Amino acid sequence: MERDEGTLILLVEDDKTLSESLRRGLVESGFSCRCAATFGEAEAALREALPALVLLDMGLPDGDGAELLRHIRRRDAKLPVIITTARSGISDRVGGLENGADDYLVKPFAFEELLARIRVQLRHSERAQLQWTVGDLKIDLPTRTASRGGTPLDLTPREFDLLAYLASLRGETATRQMLQLEVWHVRSAMASMDNVIDVHVSRLRHKLDLSGGAPLLHTVRGVGLVLKEPE
Ligand code: CA
């Protein structure tokens, strides 16, 4: 039995046997699946409906998978793309990732492996959604604004970045190292960063608590910081 609902995956694969077996597996796993056997069909499918993820064979009869990948990236920088390739040459894989693939699988691969990779990519892209809610806190990424209980928060750009990053973790704890890398984009270990981070965290907490709502920013002793509704 097939269902029409479910997250849409565009499967670009010219090997009919492989395509059919992947399609069946994906549908049985609760996904919707649109199949394309050629570059042209894939382009048409992309015009019709935007999938949540593209599974892309690098060797297509009427065009290079890498070219299709560039085409996809020009239209949507965030659409997760997993490339599959029969050619195990490292240059293909590296080339694919440089061209904007999010992950790759070398054929033959186990279906369970593919499913696991798809789920990882979908989780990442879910994090890239444009609006988040934590309790009565709303964060809007396109406008870079946040509000609590309808009252706008007056945040500096860095405070907003910090808040948005914490929200993207969906209840997982951020360590200082994670904040340093993801919010301040500082890769090397710098003791002086700890102070900077702590000051921003404390200001952000103060602003979040101004509304009198329940505290949302919690310190996990010895680990880091988590943004979530109190239990
Ligand atoms: Ca092929």
Side-chain angles (χ1 to χ4, degrees):
M1 202 174 73
E2 288 178 20
R3 298 176 303 179
D4 257 356
E5 71 264 47
T7 304
L8 180 64
I9 292 180
L10 174 60
L11 169 60
V12 186
E13 173 59 66
D14 63 308
D15 179 330
K16 286 212 162 52
T17 311
L18 179 60
S19 175
E20 179 51 25
S21 101
L22 291 177
R23 188 194 67 81
R24 197 166 300 179
L26 289 170
V27 169
E28 276 167 9
S29 307
F31 293 103
S32 290
C33 191
R34 173 83 197 258
C35 297
T38 63
F39 189 112
E41 278 180 32
E43 271 193 311
L46 282 167
R47 271 196 304 272
E48 256 171 51
L50 191 68
L53 182 141
V54 180
L55 195 60
L56 176 62
D57 177 22
M58 290 302 270
L60 294 171
D62 60 340
D64 191 353
E67 200 183 326
L68 186 60
L69 182 53
R70 281 192 293 274
H71 174 78
I72 291 170
R73 279 289 164 263
R74 275 196 298 273
R75 292 188 51 192
D76 189 334
K78 284 184 177 160
L79 178 60
V81 178
I82 300 176
I83 57 179
T84 61
T85 173
R87 296 165 289 183
S88 54
I90 190 109
S91 61
D92 276 355
R93 302 191 226 167
V94 172
L97 294 174
E98 275 175 356
N99 278 322
D102 297 283
D103 202 355
Y104 66 88
L105 279 166
V106 177
K107 294 175 189 171
F109 49 80
F111 183 73
E112 279 62 38
E113 176 70 15
L114 171 67
L115 207 52
R117 304 281 189 100
I118 287 175
R119 290 195 168 127
V120 166
Q121 290 307 322
L122 289 177
R123 268 202 301 276
H124 284 170
S125 81
E126 200 182 315
R127 281 181 184 171
Q129 275 178 5
L130 301 176
Q131 285 179 333
W132 289 308
T133 304
V134 182
D136 62 350
L137 169 69
K138 285 192 171 38
I139 301 167
D140 186 79
L141 294 181
T143 58
R144 292 179 57 83
T145 55
S147 63
R148 270 204 87 175
T151 308
L153 300 180
D154 183 20
L155 303 177
T156 64
R158 187 75 81 185
E159 286 163 358
F160 181 84
D161 289 343
L162 176 59
L163 181 62
Y165 174 65
L166 290 166
S168 78
L169 297 178
R170 295 177 179 250
E172 285 172 40
T173 302
T175 63
R176 272 219 192 96
Q177 290 93 316
M178 286 159 76
L179 297 176
Q180 177 178 320
L181 185 64
E182 301 293 339
V183 181
W184 276 266
H185 311 293
V186 175
R187 199 163 281 276
S188 57
M190 281 171 60
S192 59
M193 281 304 296
D194 286 359
N195 253 331
V196 173
I197 292 170
D198 290 349
V199 166
H200 279 83
V201 165
S202 132
R203 282 188 196 143
L204 177 61
R205 179 178 278 128
H206 175 71
K207 289 182 181 181
L208 284 173
D209 289 349
L210 275 180
S211 72
L216 296 177
L217 199 51
H218 312 273
T219 301
V220 182
R221 228 167 274 286
V223 185
L225 201 62
V226 63
L227 182 74
K228 64 175 183 184
E229 279 187 275
E231 270 121 42

